[in-house]
Amino acid sequence: MRLPLSRQLVLPIASAFALAISGCNKTLPPGLPSLADLTPAAEPLIPEAALTDEAVYEAWNEDTRAWGRSEHAKVKRLCQFYRDQGIKQLVCE
């Protein structure tokens, strides 16, 4: 039995797509958000010493602020990307 032309094309196209995705190259095509923007960073965990040492607590607090600013910047870049794609109702400020 012969498959319709549209079904005959599905397997080769799906195979090519799977090969492209599974390749060793871990970069996205130009114009898309970077992999770093699509990967959430782990929040800094508070060390036990921060409970008794003010300097350790302040260092952790600064690390946490820097982490938050970095994650916020990622969201802004993703928001701007989608605004550029035509979703004008997004507010990226």
Side-chain angles (χ1 to χ4, degrees), residues 50-90:
L51 301 174
T52 56
D53 187 338
E54 186 71 24
V56 173
Y57 172 77
E58 287 302 324
W60 168 79
N61 200 23
E62 285 302 315
D63 289 346
T64 303
R65 285 186 193 141
W67 168 82
R69 289 182 188 117
S70 170
E71 294 300 293
H72 178 75
K74 286 180 184 181
V75 171
K76 285 181 72 172
R77 287 190 296 271
L78 289 171
C79 182
Q80 190 58 49
F81 168 77
Y82 284 106
R83 272 192 59 97
D84 293 346
Q85 298 301 309
I87 304 174
K88 300 299 181 198
Q89 61 267 36
L90 291 174

